Amino acid sequence: MAAALGMTPFVPAARSLVARSAARWTAPFGPAAAPRRFQLPSSRPRVPPPRPLYNFASRDAKIQAPEDQSEIIFIGTGTSEGIPRVSCLTNQSKTCKVCSKAIEPGNKNRRLNTSIVICYVNSVGRFNILVDAGKFFYHSALRWFPVYGLRNIDAVIITHSHADAIGGLDDLRDWTNNVQPFIPIYVAQRDFEVMKKTHYYIVDTSVIVPGAAVSELQFNVIKEEPFVIHDLKVTPLPVWHGHGYRSLGFRFGDICYISDVSDIPEETYMLLKDCDLLILDALRPDRSSSTHFGLPRALEEVRKIQPRRTLFTGMMHLMDHDEINEELAKLREFRSQQTLFIFFVAERCILLLVQVNDATVMPFSASAGDSLDEAVGYMGPARRLITTHFTEVMKFPSNSPSKDRRVGGDRSSEDDGSEGYSEDVVAELQALAEVLD
């Protein structure tokens, strides 16, 4: 049966979910004054009717998107070998819980190589832009292209040159033989050099046997700077995918997609500012590998980047869809309640228990004697995200060992017993509220 998850735009930035293959993100367009939603740039703004932000396809139903609405479709959210694994299904001595579930029809744990299709609408028409064509691409296309009415592939963008990103280039022959004359490929020079070896007969078609039909691809070498596909600006997001191995994420409007990453260079964070939707690599629930973020590291990056929403992708068979989403929901609920901050203002330690309504806030600390502006300055990007609804304020004497105080400490062990707040403390809090507003 079709399952639908409706998300309103007014949700915490900490909203993090595990992406499901064929999860469909729709991008309604509205006037500039409308509430912010995920959107790709469009030359035909419209005021859409209310509708769920995420729609999950049923196994059999065909889903037709509005002709003037852009969307992103996840056609793969798994690792290189996919889920389920043959080795797990044939293991007589041990049962793999996730792979056992994944063989069930329509189970959310069934995952193929990480890939998305951007269905972009502008004043000229509707364009299908594929990100990566890995080993299982054709299987994903068989499953999801008919469901979503996808026929043409107007461009392919390559993140890196591993088999789970380029292994399906040969299968594009079905399109260039039967649907369209050629497909543009956008790829970094280093990855194009790999393709010259792995897919030499596609790069140089002069070597093929006369009469043989191979994919007709038009290669466009990109640099680590913005480029345009059918009037859609695409900004590369350089990251590391293992020691010394460069991979690319991409930004489309307010959407940032990073599928294969072990570390993010400092200069890339600037390109991630004001991100509405972050789609991020999260291989396993317990730790990172040498080439991929694990869930703990991915969550750290979410707190640092502070997108409005996050979807995790690239999961292996240790990541159970429902269980991980339940854990993320608990984390989201915890972080949406109350967060304790400590400010050191005018040589006094002031504890602020702040209600955080719509943001993930990075922890911070300051030193005794810092001015108000200095103390607030330590917050960095978190400053604009904290609401000014103070639910509790506590004052400590200036001779207390406040330098050792940190978030989550015992709030009563050093209390001087004061039941009220002096006028100067109240004034400072009011000034702080104005700064944080």
Side-chain angles (χ1 to χ4, degrees), residues 113-114 132-135 158-169 260:
N113 295 159
T114 301
D132 286 341
K135 298 178 296 181
I158 300 299
T159 60
H160 65 299
S161 52
H162 287 168
D164 57 350
I166 67 171
L169 291 177
D260 295 82

Side-chain angles (χ1 to χ4, degrees), residues 114 159-160 162 164 237-243 245-249 257-265 268-269 272 278-283 287-295 297-298 301 305 312-314:
T114 301
T159 60
H160 65 299
H162 287 168
D164 57 350
L237 303 172
V239 296
W240 296 112
H241 182 27
H243 179 70
Y245 186 88
R246 198 78 151 179
S247 180
L248 294 177
Y257 178 79
I258 304 177
S259 60
D260 295 82
V261 56
S262 59
D263 199 16
I264 301 178
T268 299
Y269 286 108
L272 294 167
L278 174 64
I279 303 166
L280 186 61
D281 183 17
L283 177 69
R287 60 176 175 82
S288 298
S289 72
S290 61
T291 53
H292 291 275
F293 283 167
L295 187 58
R297 173 67 184 276
E301 296 297 332
I305 298 168
F312 295 124
T313 191

Side-chain angles (χ1 to χ4, degrees), residues 92-410:
Q92 300 298 319
S93 61
K94 182 180 179 181
T95 299
C96 175
K97 180 176 63 175
V98 173
C99 289
S100 298
K101 291 180 180 180
I103 62 175
E104 301 170 358
N107 188 272
K108 299 174 184 178
N109 288 300
R110 188 175 185 86
R111 304 180 185 278
L112 299 180
N113 295 159
T114 301
S115 180
I116 60 173
V117 177
I118 301 167
C119 304
Y120 175 61
V121 176
N122 61 22
S123 59
V124 177
R126 185 178 181 86
F127 301 94
N128 299 323
I129 302 171
L130 175 69
V131 180
D132 286 341
K135 298 178 296 181
F136 294 133
F137 161 70
Y138 200 73
H139 298 275
S140 295
L142 281 171
R143 174 69 183 87
W144 297 116
F145 274 46
V147 170
Y148 288 100
L150 305 177
R151 181 164 173 80
N152 286 55
I153 299 178
D154 298 292
V156 179
I157 307 174
I158 300 299
T159 60
H160 65 299
S161 52
H162 287 168
D164 57 350
I166 67 171
L169 291 177
D170 183 79
D171 293 319
L172 296 176
R173 70 173 70 187
D174 188 16
W175 281 263
T176 59
N177 289 343
N178 304 301
V179 178
Q180 59 198 83
F182 66 92
I183 298 176
I185 308 293
Y186 294 82
V187 57
Q189 182 67 51
R190 58 182 173 274
D191 299 316
F192 185 48
E193 295 301 321
V194 174
M195 290 179 182
K196 289 179 181 179
K197 300 176 181 179
T198 60
H199 295 81
Y200 64 93
Y201 59 96
I202 297 178
V203 175
D204 181 9
T205 56
S206 66
V207 302
I208 64 175
V209 176
V214 299
S215 304
E216 189 68 33
L217 307 180
Q218 180 188 80
F219 292 95
N220 302 275
V221 174
I222 61 174
K223 299 180 180 180
E224 293 181 355
E225 55 189 38
F227 58 98
V228 176
I229 303 177
H230 297 294
D231 292 331
L232 173 63
K233 180 182 177 181
V234 181
T235 302
L237 303 172
V239 296
W240 296 112
H241 182 27
H243 179 70
Y245 186 88
R246 198 78 151 179
S247 180
L248 294 177
F250 296 99
R251 179 165 186 156
F252 314 92
D254 293 331
I255 301 156
C256 297
Y257 178 79
I258 304 177
S259 60
D260 295 82
V261 56
S262 59
D263 199 16
I264 301 178
E266 197 62 36
E267 59 269 22
T268 299
Y269 286 108
M270 295 298 296
L271 303 174
L272 294 167
K273 291 182 65 176
D274 301 321
C275 170
D276 266 351
L277 173 63
L278 174 64
I279 303 166
L280 186 61
D281 183 17
L283 177 69
R284 53 187 298 154
D286 50 352
R287 60 176 175 82
S288 298
S289 72
S290 61
T291 53
H292 291 275
F293 283 167
L295 187 58
R297 173 67 184 276
L299 287 170
E300 289 180 13
E301 296 297 332
V302 170
R303 297 183 187 108
K304 184 172 183 178
I305 298 168
Q306 298 182 9
R308 190 170 177 82
R309 295 178 180 86
T310 303
L311 293 175
F312 295 124
T313 191
M315 282 76 69
M316 66 182 298
H317 69 153
L318 298 179
M319 297 275 279
D320 182 277
H321 179 94
D322 291 329
E323 291 182 5
I324 295 298
N325 269 339
E326 287 178 8
E327 292 301 317
L328 290 172
K330 292 177 183 177
L331 178 63
R332 184 167 64 244
E333 180 180 358
F334 173 77
R335 288 187 173 277
S336 66
Q337 293 175 354
Q338 292 179 334
T339 303
L340 181 64
F341 295 92
I342 299 178
F343 291 92
F344 299 89
V345 180
E347 298 186 353
R348 284 189 301 276
C349 179
I350 300 176
L351 271 62
L352 304 180
L353 193 59
V354 182
Q355 187 71 29
V356 182
N357 294 326
D358 62 352
T360 299
V361 180
M362 298 170 59
F364 64 91
S365 62
S367 300
D370 285 339
S371 68
L372 176 63
D373 290 340
E374 289 172 334
V376 175
Y378 284 116
M379 297 171 59
R383 182 185 338 181
R384 62 185 176 84
L385 298 173
I386 303 177
T387 66
T388 56
H389 174 62
F390 303 121
T391 58
E392 182 177 351
V393 179
M394 299 182 66
K395 175 188 173 186
F396 293 91
S398 59
N399 60 357
S400 66
S402 55
K403 285 188 177 181
D404 296 328
R405 303 285 294 173
R406 290 295 183 269
V407 174
D410 180 3

